[in-house]
Each structure stands twice: as C-alpha cells, then as structure tokens.
Amino acid sequence: MTPSEPIILGLEGTAHTAGVAVIKGKEIIANTSSTYFPPQGGIHPREAAIYLAKEFPQLIGDTFKGLPFGIDKIDGIAFSQGPGLGPCLRTTATVARAISLRLGIPLLGVNHCIAHVELGRTITPADDPLVLYVSGGNTQLITFLNGRYRVLGETLDIAIGNALDTLGREMNLPHPGGPHIEKQAQTGQELLPLPYTIKGMSFSFSGMVTAAKKLIPKHSTADICYSFQEYTFAILAEATERALSCTKKKSVLLTGGVAANAHLQEVIQKVADEQDSSFYVVPRNLAGDNGVMIAFAGTHLLNTGEILPIQESQVKPRWRTDQVQVGWIS
Ligand code: AMP
Ligand code: MG
C-alpha cells in the first residue's frame, strides 16, 4: 500500500446480498454484508430490493462507526451497475448516487462479473488466468484478450448455482441449496443417469434439473445430489479443459459463490494440473457476492479515469462481461 492509493467504498447489490466494503489499494479495511433469504421459493426481485434498501443504510453506518475515519475521506464510490435483478440494481445505484452527490466524490459503475474476476486477480497470484466463474446468476469461462474480457463459453440457460438451488428446493433442502447439496453428495453412492449437455465450450443445466427432479421419488437425496454434482462438474471440467487447451493459459482461477464447493475445486484443480497450469480459487469468505470485489474493480476504474456521470448511471440488468472496454490491463 502506498500513501497515494485511493480509498474506495464498494457497494454490491445485484440480487440477494447487500455488500459494503472499504479498501485501499489491495488492503481490505472493512467488509460486511447481509443476505436475503426468501421465506419460500426462489428470490423475488422486488422483495430482495426492499431488503437491500433496508440493509444498506445500517451496513454503511456500522462500517464507518468501526473505522478511524469518516465516509467523507473516501475517494470514490463503486457500485454494481449490472448485470443482475433490475429492482436490486436500482436500489443499489440509488444509494451510490446519493453518496456520490452528497460528498461530491466520483461514482464508479462496476460490472459484477468482472468484479469477481478482479477480486481473484487481486487476492490470488493468478496472472492473466483462464477464469471459471460459477455463481447463482452466471456461469462463464472468461479470459482477457485485446482490451476485453472474452467469454469463451457460458451457460445457455440457467447458472450452475441457480440449478443447484432449484434442485435443492425440490428436495426440501434449505436455501441456498448449493452447500446442502455438497454435504449430501458426500454420502451418495450410486451414480444415477442424467443428461450430459455440453456444446463446444458452452453448456446448459435446466434440462439436467428437470431430469434430476424425476429421480426424486425413487432415489435417496444423497444419491441424487452426488449424481447431479458429478455430471454438472464434469461438464464444467470438460469446458474448462477445452478452453485451456485452446488458450494455453498458465493459470486457472475459480471464482463466484459455487467456487466454495470443495469437490468442484478438486475437479478443476485436476484439469489445471493435467494442462500444466496453476490453479487458484478465491477464499470461501469472498467467493460469493461481496463489496470487496466491487471496490477492487472500482479502484481500476478510478485509476483509469473512468468516472461515471450521474446522468449515465442507469443500471444494466443484462450487461455482458465482454461489453466492457478494460482500460486497466495493457
Ligand atoms: P453468488 O451468486 O456468487 O453470491 O453465489 C451464490 C451461489 O453459490 C448460490 O447458488 C449457492 O447455492 C452457491 N454456493 C455457495 N456455497 C456453495 C457450495 N459449497 N457448493 C455449491 N454451491 C454453493
Ligand atoms: Mg456473483
């Protein structure tokens, strides 16, 4: 850390999590979050947005109560401008704009997917990696080429995290289902047949969820969880292997909420080993959505002078990873 490095406040709010963090350079000064759990079913965008609106003032207030300096000392306010659920994004953007206007500090509009990548590049030694980004709303194979993060492959329908959570609900596991499926899978024994859907370096999971649901009446939860993980993780491994053999990248970075899964880590580590690449994974406490990743990505935007005028700060629910011109990597 050098004295000149800016202090950035990062706000994450694309879906279920209100994340607030303060960083300076690579140092995490504060990091707190609050996550919405739907009373039943999946996440309802408006309900989640109301939750974020309630949580942000408290989280931001508490953050600065615990710091030796006030919010007026920050050099920039970064927020998740997209992609994500419209109502959640609008709530988060409103908070960020209010702080920016009130304090007269730069507003920084961060792409959420790129923030997951930048977090990994900041806190692990991964340099110019092939990224497998696995989360509740996105699943993509990403690498940097000619000024942009390129999407080499991605889900053609739902994200892996969404697939796990949907299947979990059908089996009456608590939300989010991902970690519960991981635990159940450890005692599964029989590999049940499921479709294996991969097209080049892209893949799809929604048909696999439908097929897995049909196994519920006849098979144990543990066997279904075990089988679903084996099939879906094999698909992710195959796509990663293909992307790695094309790009010859020297490192593989696993990031996003589902990166917390120990079996997925094992499977992707093996792919990296076989292709002589180093394997890195973001730590479990920063794998899911958080304010730190938004603040790190925001620092890059501030350093390259990409300050977002308020009048251009409308949210981008479908903002793609490959639409962002990346000025901070040469
Ligand atoms: P994110 O959208 O990046 O915040 O990630 C949230 C997603 O990560 C949810 O779909 C969770 O079910 C999933 N998740 C969290 N922990 C695990 C785990 N140990 N195994 C599988 N999925 C997980
Ligand atoms: Mg995410």
Side-chain angles (χ1 to χ4, degrees):
M1 187 173 92
T2 62
S4 59
E5 272 169 332
I7 300 174
I8 304 292
L9 171 62
L11 302 185
E12 157 58 31
T14 53
H16 45 72
T17 297
V20 175
V22 179
I23 62 116
K24 184 174 167 84
K26 291 188 174 191
E27 187 191 345
I28 301 170
I29 298 175
N31 179 28
T32 179
S33 68
S34 177
T35 298
Y36 171 71
F37 290 96
Q40 58 187 37
I43 295 168
H44 188 295
R46 189 164 33 82
E47 300 293 323
I50 291 169
Y51 178 86
L52 299 186
K54 283 203 197 109
E55 292 298 307
F56 270 126
Q58 185 80 33
L59 288 171
I60 295 169
D62 288 350
T63 294
F64 285 96
K65 265 186 219 149
L67 293 180
F69 55 85
I71 193 169
D72 55 317
K73 290 289 181 290
I74 60 173
D75 300 298
I77 164 93
F79 73 105
S80 51
Q81 196 180 0
L85 305 174
C88 300
L89 294 171
R90 285 192 287 278
T91 298
T92 309
T94 303
V95 177
R97 285 184 203 114
I99 295 171
S100 169
L101 285 172
R102 176 76 194 260
L103 300 177
I105 54 158
L107 185 64
L108 307 159
V110 168
N111 178 291
H112 173 96
C113 308
I114 289 181
H116 275 288
V117 177
E118 291 304 338
L119 172 79
R121 290 209 318 128
T122 308
I123 65 171
T124 78
D127 179 36
D128 189 22
L130 172 72
V131 182
L132 177 59
Y133 164 41
V134 283
S135 76
N138 304 279
T139 307
Q140 294 183 327
L141 272 162
I142 302 167
T143 203
F144 182 81
L145 182 71
N146 293 339
R148 283 176 199 242
Y149 281 112
R150 311 285 167 171
V151 179
L152 303 178
E154 63 191 315
T155 180
L156 299 171
D157 44 44
I158 58 172
I160 180 67
N162 188 348
L164 292 166
D165 297 345
T166 306
L167 182 60
R169 271 198 300 280
E170 294 293 327
M171 296 186 297
N172 295 318
L173 296 175
H175 178 87
H180 299 279
I181 289 184
E182 176 178 30
K183 191 146 189 287
Q184 288 282 337
Q186 286 161 1
T187 55
Q189 288 179 337
E190 191 188 347
L191 188 65
L192 306 165
L194 285 170
Y196 187 87
T197 44
I198 181 161
K199 295 172 184 176
M201 286 184 257
S202 290
F203 28 80
S204 81
F205 297 120
S206 107
M208 298 181 70
V209 173
T210 306
K213 277 186 204 168
K214 292 186 183 148
L215 300 172
I216 292 173
K218 292 180 237 108
H219 297 275
S220 73
T221 299
D223 283 346
I224 296 171
C225 291
Y226 166 66
S227 306
F228 195 76
Q229 278 202 171
E230 288 305 312
Y231 274 81
T232 53
F233 294 178
I235 287 169
L236 291 173
E238 182 178 333
T240 303
E241 186 168 52
R242 221 165 260 168
L244 206 50
S245 92
C246 284
T247 59
K248 307 279 181 237
K249 294 286 172 179
K250 285 290 138 214
S251 58
V252 177
L253 171 67
L254 185 61
T255 188
V258 186
N261 187 292
H263 186 48
L264 180 62
Q265 292 175 14
E266 243 170 54
V267 168
I268 302 301
Q269 161 108 56
K270 205 159 165 220
V271 169
D273 288 350
E274 281 169 5
Q275 304 259 343
D276 286 328
S277 289
S278 307
F279 172 75
Y280 300 102
V281 58
V282 295
R284 186 174 266 265
N285 67 322
L286 292 173
D289 295 347
N290 61 78
V292 174
M293 64 188 209
I294 302 299
F296 281 145
T299 302
H300 291 309
L301 292 173
L302 186 66
N303 287 342
T304 50
E306 289 172 77
I307 293 156
L308 189 65
I310 297 274
Q311 62 275 18
E312 289 170 28
S313 66
Q314 69 277 17
V315 301
K316 302 177 181 180
R318 295 184 170 273
W319 198 11
R320 283 185 58 82
T321 305
D322 46 16
Q323 285 175 320
V324 178
Q325 198 69 47
V326 174
W328 59 89
I329 302 177
S330 52

